[in-house]
Amino acid sequence: MPHRNFHHHQSPVDQHDDGYKIGLSVTMKNGSDAIKAVAMYQTDYDNNEDGVAHFIEDRILKTDD
């Protein structure tokens, strides 16, 4: 499976004093600018291209082949 690019953005969720991240926010490439501004990740795919599925496969279910 080819590697897909995802863009990580710092969000308020990243900035907790206890050092732990909570939650995970992902936006599609056709998401609104307001959501893109606060999402931790942005996919190179839109919702019609199964952007969430690509993100889950590549970031969460990723195996070291």
Side-chain angles (χ1 to χ4, degrees), residues 8-51:
H8 181 266
H9 302 279
Q10 180 124 3
S11 77
V13 173
D14 291 334
Q15 301 170 5
H16 289 283
D17 292 333
D18 60 8
Y20 293 99
K21 289 184 182 181
I22 56 172
L24 179 69
S25 54
V26 180
T27 185
M28 304 302 100
K29 75 176 183 182
N30 63 337
S32 72
D33 289 338
I35 299 298
K36 288 178 181 178
V38 296
M40 294 171 65
Y41 294 93
Q42 177 183 332
T43 72
D44 288 334
Y45 301 90
D46 65 29
N47 58 308
N48 296 314
E49 299 170 314
D50 300 322

